[in-house]
Amino acid sequence: MAGRIVRWGAALGCGAVWWWAVLRLAVAPDAGVLEGAVAAGGWGLSLLPVHCVPKARAAGALAEGRWGQAWRAAGVTTASPHRRSDAGSDLS
């Protein structure tokens, strides 16, 4: 129970500091590097995939090599034949 309270408190505190920095950047003419760093750092953290789990434990994860097997079964090739740029051109 105490761990949950600490996590929520830390999340709310960091969120409040981030909003303070963003609003100060938008409104205050003397906002500087500190506010910019806090705003950019918070935005950067939002891009991290924090809800990732190992592929073996992920619900609905595909087995290793499944896509390759599907491509081979469908007869799809991975490379096209070379076409020469001078072949068949009668422009001279």
Side-chain angles (χ1 to χ4, degrees):
M1 181 70 173
R4 181 183 296 173
I5 293 170
V6 170
R7 282 192 305 260
W8 272 100
L12 289 173
C14 289
V17 170
W18 184 82
W19 275 108
W20 165 80
V22 169
L23 291 174
R24 185 153 162 79
L25 279 172
V27 176
D30 62 338
V33 176
L34 175 65
E35 291 87 352
V38 170
W43 179 78
L45 285 175
S46 71
L47 299 178
L48 290 174
V50 295
H51 292 89
C52 291
V53 296
K55 191 174 184 178
R57 289 186 20 209
L62 297 177
E64 188 70 31
R66 173 120 188 259
W67 284 109
Q69 291 172 357
W71 278 88
R72 284 189 294 277
V76 178
T77 62
T78 58
S80 299
H82 277 297
R83 296 180 185 251
R84 299 184 67 88
S85 60
D86 60 348
S89 64
D90 193 23
L91 300 176
S92 52

